[in-house]
Structure formats: structure tokens, C-alpha cells
Amino acid sequence: SAVISQKPSRDICQRGTSLTIQCQVDSQVTMMFWYRQQPGQSLTLIATANQGSEATYESGFVIDKFPISRPNLTFSTLTVSNMSPEDSSIYLCSVRLAGGELFFGEGSRLTVL
Amino acid sequence: KNQVEQSPQSLIILEGKNCTLQCNYTVSPFSNLRWYKQDTGRGPVSLTIMTFSENTKSNGRYTATLDADTKQSSLHITASQLSDSASYICVVSESDYKLSFGAGTTVTVRA
């Protein structure tokens, strides 16, 4: 299994500011994923964070809005830039282990005023 | 249109009773189907994972079924407990790298 720690667990931010969410895994993993979960909706994949290369973004998500870092095999950050109330959501970090099992962090609940 | 549809959207049951959640999908090709439990304010936690050849899998009081022909799955909760109150999410995989998530069913268990 994998233990994933996310920080912050929740935050309230002002419109126009940026927030960086950290994700720490207790083991080395090749692929880390960032999801968004809006109220009452499915999880939506934002991007795949690749160690040593740029993140791969899904349709509708761009690097300028959601820059991602992946400095090593146990850590990643997601920044939500120039926030608006529409960015209010839960952001989840996820990893897939060698056996294919998918593990999620506790999530970071973001409220933008 | 979402490729994974879950029903009901929410349900309330009394402690000790059973309930069944449904998941219909159109994802193709199919690799596997997973059910996750997500407590309020927490991340999703895996309950079961089933491949094409499996039609039932249990994890304690949780039993998942899969009919790959009709593209339907169910999650049955037996003798519900207050701790079963959570959102249950159905996730269907085309491959290890392409997952489709349902919107979830919110279960509330009342004493």
C-alpha cells in the first residue's frame, strides 16, 4: 500500500491569488496524478506528474493555470493560479503502485472567495 | 456524457439494513472496475477491483458484482453500520492509464 500526505487539508483563499498543494508519498512511485473533485461530481483528472519531465495535462487543463512540479519520485506539487470561485473544489493526489492499485491522498479542500 | 453512471444519487438506510448501489458504464474496451469508499473530508479508499472474468468479489460486508455483458455492476452493503455513511464511487478502467469515474452514491446510515 501507499501512504499519501497532502497539505494543506483545506484553505480559504481570495480571488486572484495562487495556492500550492503538496503531495508526499511514503514510497517511490513512477506516476503521480492530480484530480479535481467538484461538489456532487466525478473525479476529473487534471494531469499526470512525471518525474524528470513536464506534466501531461488533460483536455481543459493548462499548465499556466495548474503548474505542477515533480522534483523526485516521492513528491509533487500542484499550484492553482489566479484563483476564482469556480476553482473551489477538492484537489486529490493519487499514485498507482506496481500492481495497478490506485491510492489517493486525503484531499485538499479549497474555497475561493 | 459521463461513461459511468451511478444510481441512486443518494440514499438513506437504517442501521442493520442492507442496500445495493448500481453502476452502469459504456466504457470500452474494458480492463477492470473498482469500487471506492470516500468518507467525508477524506480521500477515496479501494473496496474491490474486478476484471472481466470476475463476476463477484467480497470485502467484508461489501460485495460487488459485475456483468460485463450488460456493463453493469452493483455494490451490496450487508448489515449496514453507521460507519458505512460515505460516498461510494464506481471507477471503470480502459487501461491502467485511462479511468472513468462515476459521480458517486452518497449513503447515509441512520441509527
Side-chain angles (χ1 to χ4, degrees), chain A residues 25-31 70 72-75 96-98:
Chain A
V25 189
D26 67 343
S27 58
Q28 293 186 339
V29 294
T30 303
M31 301 178 75
R70 183 80 198 275
N72 57 53
L73 291 174
T74 64
F75 186 79
R96 182 179 294 116
L97 298 188

Side-chain angles (χ1 to χ4, degrees), chain A residues 31 33 35 37 40-45 90 92 96 100-107 109, chain B residues 2 9 34 36 38 40-46 49 89 95-99 101-103:
Chain A
M31 301 178 75
F33 307 91
Y35 287 88
Q37 186 178 27
Q41 298 194 20
S42 312
L43 275 73
T44 302
L45 181 63
I90 299 173
L92 292 154
R96 182 179 294 116
E101 187 61 64
L102 196 63
F103 292 89
F104 290 89
E106 296 291 302
R109 182 181 295 272
Chain B
N2 196 1
Q9 185 176 4
R34 313 162 199 241
Y36 283 84
Q38 185 175 21
T40 301
R42 310 292 293 274
V45 175
S46 179
I49 178 171
I89 302 171
S95 68
D96 277 350
Y97 305 105
K98 189 161 177 63
L99 309 178
F101 290 79

Side-chain angles (χ1 to χ4, degrees), chain A:
Chain A
S1 65
V3 177
I4 304 172
S5 302
Q6 276 189 241
K7 292 180 183 179
S9 58
R10 59 178 61 232
D11 207 341
I12 301 173
C13 302
Q14 295 297 320
R15 181 196 299 259
T17 62
S18 298
L19 177 74
T20 295
I21 302 167
Q22 299 179 3
C23 177
Q24 179 75 53
V25 189
D26 67 343
S27 58
Q28 293 186 339
V29 294
T30 303
M31 301 178 75
M32 296 177 74
F33 307 91
W34 287 99
Y35 287 88
R36 181 174 71 184
Q37 186 178 27
Q38 294 179 308
Q41 298 194 20
S42 312
L43 275 73
T44 302
L45 181 63
I46 297 172
T48 301
N50 308 305
Q51 197 270 332
S53 64
E54 282 201 358
T56 306
Y57 288 84
E58 297 298 305
S59 176
F61 299 96
V62 295
I63 187 171
D64 290 346
K65 177 66 176 178
F66 297 101
I68 287 172
S69 78
R70 183 80 198 275
N72 57 53
L73 291 174
T74 64
F75 186 79
S76 178
T77 67
L78 170 75
T79 298
V80 186
S81 303
N82 188 24
M83 289 183 286
S84 67
E86 292 71 34
D87 294 319
S88 297
S89 187
I90 299 173
Y91 292 86
L92 292 154
C93 171
S94 174
V95 303
R96 182 179 294 116
L97 298 188
E101 187 61 64
L102 196 63
F103 292 89
F104 290 89
E106 296 291 302
S108 299
R109 182 181 295 272
L110 174 62
T111 302
V112 184
L113 303 178

Side-chain angles (χ1 to χ4, degrees), chain B residues 94-109:
Chain B
E94 294 178 40
S95 68
D96 277 350
Y97 305 105
K98 189 161 177 63
L99 309 178
S100 296
F101 290 79
T105 293
T106 300
V107 174
T108 302
V109 181

